[in-house]
Amino acid sequence: MVGRPGASGARCSGTRNTRRKAAPKIYNHPPVTVTVRSFAKINLGLRIGAPREDGFHELLTVYQTIGLHDVIRVGVGLGKGIEVRCEDPRVPRDGSNTCYRIVERAMAALRTKRRVIIEIDKCLPVQGGLGGASSNAVAALLGLERVLGKSLPAEERLRIAAEVGSDLPLFLVGGTVLGVGRGELVYGLADLPGMACVVVTPEVGVSTAEAFAEWDRQLTVSMPSDRMSGLGRGLSVWLSASYSGAPRGERGRAENPLLELVRAGIKNDFEQVVLPVYPELSEGKTALERAGAKYASLSGSGSSLYGLFASKEEASRAVSALRKQGLAAQVTATLTRREYWKRIIG
Ligand code: C5P
């Protein structure tokens, strides 16, 4: 949606209500703004491979976008420079902010000089494993393109996104996405029907870099060489069963394809190194299972946990039960690629 600041009805999906200031008038020209929903992701499975020479790890993961989101407003006016505004003190507002970094690169690639103001209404957790900072950056890029009425070629967009972080390109695809390489090479899988989902966001934040380092300390030596192909095989079996129409699921009954996917053995490797360090995360996962989740897991390197539920009603009941136990739980749903792109602007 393109409009004057404050013209959009988009709000954060989280429980925290962040008030925002209107973007200022610059040189008496009110900036035009675009509002973009910056959706979160969960990892339906994640396998860590060998460390690479560039310091990253080979990765095989299935990302899934979900309905929880931040709201990003991008405004442009006369002048130059990039300003990031966010009331959440944990979000950097300098050149290290992912939105700043992507907009700086995009402005150079578009050969455009304007003043850009990015406002972030933060609801997603910081260092939460839901891809918040990555999604914010992609939302800022999409908003910038829209507000300028210019767009980058898809290849350029993906290149810039991957430069800013491994988890950005998935948000240029949305829905269910296979991620390989260091997670930045993305392939859209078939759109799976939406599923009710409960996200638990513990107070702690987990650094992805530290989680990888801990993985190296604990497991490099004893890592079996076919770990990556194990997940790859699980995915292949799932894909071939989906497309061949073969009877699936328990007792031959076809169940939700998303559930079949997570049961194809695609666990999250980070659980092995993160859960022992943060017992509250282990407890959160158990609480989700006890509350009726069909499948529960850590997302990315955490700290967020998610559970997939058979229905919205069951998910809502689980949220009430989890909140009674003092856990910060929210109900949402997985977002298909179609819904993702339908809801992203405005
Ligand atoms: O790419 P991103 O900024 O998300 O990565 C954060 C850090 O996580 C990297 O600096 C690296 O230490 C680690 N990482 C990794 N292997 C990956 C992705 C990230 O080791 N595939």
Side-chain angles (χ1 to χ4, degrees):
M1 175 174 182
V2 182
R4 297 280 301 277
S8 164
R11 292 283 179 273
C12 257
S13 60
T15 44
R16 212 144 42 83
N17 205 358
T18 46
R19 281 190 304 117
R20 68 192 163 79
K21 291 186 212 122
K25 292 183 179 181
I26 299 159
Y27 306 148
N28 289 328
H29 293 272
V32 178
T33 64
V34 171
T35 303
V36 187
R37 288 192 179 86
S38 166
F39 291 107
K41 62 86 181 162
I42 52 177
N43 295 80
L44 297 177
L46 189 153
R47 179 102 349 153
I48 306 170
R52 313 191 320 186
E53 284 193 353
D54 63 4
F56 288 89
H57 292 72
E58 279 303 311
L59 216 66
L60 185 54
T61 186
V62 179
Y63 301 108
Q64 172 66 57
T65 47
I66 58 170
L68 299 183
H69 62 84
D70 289 335
V71 174
I72 306 293
R73 280 178 213 83
V74 185
V76 292
L78 296 179
K80 54 185 182 169
I82 301 165
E83 189 185 330
V84 176
R85 295 178 182 171
C86 182
E87 290 182 1
D88 188 324
R90 296 168 305 171
V91 176
R93 276 164 286 165
D94 60 12
S96 67
N97 185 290
T98 51
C99 296
Y100 188 109
R101 292 170 63 207
I102 205 162
V103 165
E104 189 176 40
R105 285 167 170 78
M107 291 298 276
L110 290 165
R111 294 191 176 79
T112 304
K113 283 205 173 68
R114 290 290 196 83
R115 177 160 183 72
V116 183
I117 298 171
I118 307 152
E119 297 179 37
I120 306 170
D121 276 1
K122 199 78 200 157
C123 292
L124 299 174
V126 175
Q127 289 196 323
L130 298 179
S134 305
S135 170
N136 289 174
V138 170
L141 174 63
L142 297 173
L144 181 75
E145 287 188 338
R146 197 140 172 140
V147 79
L148 291 174
K150 293 179 175 184
S151 49
L152 291 165
E155 196 186 337
E156 187 85 337
R157 264 195 204 152
L158 282 162
R159 185 187 59 76
I160 290 175
E163 243 177 64
V164 175
S166 312
D167 272 0
L168 269 73
L170 85 101
F171 292 108
L172 289 168
V173 178
T176 312
V177 182
L178 177 67
V180 298
R182 58 180 164 91
E184 93 287 18
L185 300 174
V186 285
Y187 305 90
L189 295 173
D191 249 354
L192 304 175
M195 234 190 135
C197 178
V198 172
V199 174
V200 171
T201 48
E203 288 282 299
V204 292
V206 177
S207 150
T208 303
E210 278 169 28
F212 273 113
E214 184 56 27
W215 174 267
D216 287 344
R217 274 193 291 276
Q218 287 190 23
L219 294 158
T220 306
V221 182
S222 58
M223 194 156 47
S225 56
D226 69 340
R227 292 176 37 73
M228 298 291 271
S229 47
L231 173 55
R233 260 196 305 278
L235 282 172
S236 305
V237 168
W238 174 79
L239 280 168
S240 78
S242 309
Y243 290 121
S244 67
R248 313 176 303 237
E250 284 164 29
R251 289 180 234 115
R253 268 185 304 123
E255 54 178 356
N256 185 302
L258 239 177
L259 271 185
E260 289 184 342
L261 174 57
V262 291
R263 285 176 181 157
I266 58 168
K267 292 200 166 60
N268 181 349
D269 276 345
F270 277 121
E271 290 195 345
Q272 282 185 63
V273 287
V274 174
L275 298 189
V277 180
Y278 299 98
E280 63 267 51
L281 303 193
S282 272
E283 285 157 23
K285 182 176 166 178
T286 309
L288 272 163
E289 285 164 349
R290 288 211 181 110
K294 299 277 179 202
Y295 179 80
S297 171
L298 187 71
S299 182
S301 57
S303 58
S304 299
L305 302 149
Y306 68 86
L308 297 173
F309 285 77
S311 69
K312 200 176 167 192
E313 292 69 34
E314 283 185 31
S316 300
R317 275 198 295 276
V319 164
S320 306
L322 292 163
R323 284 185 181 163
K324 274 187 199 141
Q325 296 167 52
L327 294 167
Q330 293 178 78
V331 70
T332 183
T334 61
L335 273 189
T336 62
R337 189 164 306 119
R338 197 158 164 267
E339 285 169 311
Y340 177 81
W341 288 108
K342 204 165 115 191
R343 291 183 51 197
I344 200 163
I345 303 279

